[in-house]
Amino acid sequence: ETGVTQTPRHLVMGMTNKKSLKCEQHLGHNAMYWYKQSAKKPLELMFVYNFKEQTENNSVPSRFSPECPNSSHLFLHLHTLQPEDSALYLCASSQDMGGSGYEQYFGPGTRLTVT
Amino acid sequence: QKEVEQNSGPLSVPEGAIASLNCTYSDRVSQSFFWYRQYSGKSPELIMSIYSNGDKEDGRFTAQLNKASQYVSLLIRDSQPSDSATYLCAVNRRDTGNQFYFGTGTSLTVIP
């Protein structure tokens, strides 16, 4: 247990559905991240939030929409996804100290299948 | 060129041996380096972080960093079957914001 929780753990959705992934961290960190992990590929950083402000958006399609209402909660809203979006979606958090060292702690992930 | 490169393996070592995992990175401005362990079907678990040249030891794990050669490694002493997992190398660059770059991972199997 890393102190980062994610729900749901598994999600199957059709291409016309709308769903949301939720992440919550109990570590007192000020930065949160969404990653996508597909088979045979490196972890892909999708979004970064520092102090609730989005600081990175790595050319992610608009069918993925993040929301960070406070430093402890992060959402990923999904709509009109494609089958190639099926993957493990990981949330992580870290303490941004403005200098060096950003040890990230991951949640258990949401296994998403788009049918 | 990939930001972070790892030998995908699989790497097999007998129980009790030393497992050596290697990682190279492309950009000299990388500042922070991490090793994660990921069991099949699970999320990555942080096992080591290293920020300066040299060795850092934590129990059976030793991380080694050589910034001049852009090389970071992880040694696992007295390997156990429970160490069988995929090991991910990650680097953080401050010049591109709070960006983390991960390798594809090395699959390690410890044979009893």
Side-chain angles (χ1 to χ4, degrees):
Chain A
E1 182 62 45
T2 63
V4 182
T5 59
Q6 289 186 246
T7 56
R9 298 291 302 275
H10 299 273
L11 178 62
V12 179
M13 59 185 289
M15 289 189 285
T16 58
N17 291 159
K18 289 185 180 181
K19 297 287 184 183
S20 295
L21 309 184
K22 178 183 176 182
C23 176
E24 183 174 359
Q25 59 96 359
H26 309 273
L27 301 170
H29 289 164
N30 54 22
M32 298 186 76
Y33 313 77
W34 279 118
Y35 285 89
K36 175 183 178 183
Q37 188 174 37
S38 305
K40 307 296 184 185
K41 290 186 177 180
L43 275 169
E44 299 173 52
L45 180 63
M46 300 174 72
F47 301 104
V48 181
Y49 279 82
N50 279 346
F51 296 98
K52 304 186 301 180
E53 299 297 321
Q54 184 176 314
T55 57
E56 302 293 338
N57 176 346
N58 286 355
S59 302
V60 180
S62 59
R63 57 186 182 269
F64 295 91
S65 175
E67 178 189 0
C68 188
N70 55 59
S71 295
S72 299
H73 294 85
L74 185 64
F75 296 88
L76 187 63
H77 303 299
L78 315 172
H79 65 96
T80 59
L81 294 190
Q82 304 299 310
E84 60 264 28
D85 296 323
S86 299
L88 181 67
Y89 288 85
L90 292 160
C91 174
S93 72
S94 71
Q95 185 64 22
D96 185 336
M97 295 177 283
S100 63
Y102 296 83
E103 296 182 341
Q104 289 189 333
Y105 296 88
F106 285 86
T110 295
R111 174 68 63 186
L112 173 66
T113 303
V114 181
T115 60
Chain B
Q1 183 182 7
K2 295 179 182 177
E3 293 277 352
V4 179
E5 298 211 40
Q6 296 181 254
N7 186 332
S8 62
L11 174 66
S12 294
V13 299
E15 184 175 355
I18 296 175
S20 178
L21 305 163
N22 303 316
C23 173
T24 57
Y25 57 95
S26 63
D27 206 297
R28 291 188 175 275
V29 301
S30 298
Q31 293 184 295
S32 307
F33 307 86
F34 308 92
W35 282 100
Y36 287 84
R37 177 176 62 199
Q38 187 172 23
Y39 292 115
S40 180
K42 302 293 186 182
S43 62
E45 173 193 8
L46 179 68
I47 53 173
M48 288 288 283
S49 57
I50 186 166
Y51 308 109
S52 54
N53 280 327
D55 295 359
K56 179 181 178 182
E57 186 175 320
D58 184 0
R60 296 186 296 111
F61 299 99
T62 299
Q64 299 175 317
L65 175 61
N66 184 326
K67 289 189 177 181
S69 300
Q70 295 174 233
Y71 176 94
V72 57
S73 65
L74 179 71
L75 300 177
I76 306 175
R77 290 182 300 282
D78 188 24
S79 295
Q80 301 296 310
S82 59
D83 295 327
S84 298
T86 296
Y87 289 80
L88 304 175
C89 173
V91 305
N92 175 244
R93 288 173 51 180
R94 289 291 288 156
D95 64 314
T96 54
N98 199 2
Q99 288 277 8
F100 282 78
Y101 299 92
F102 283 80
T104 52
T106 297
S107 175
L108 172 67
T109 300
V110 180
I111 304 167

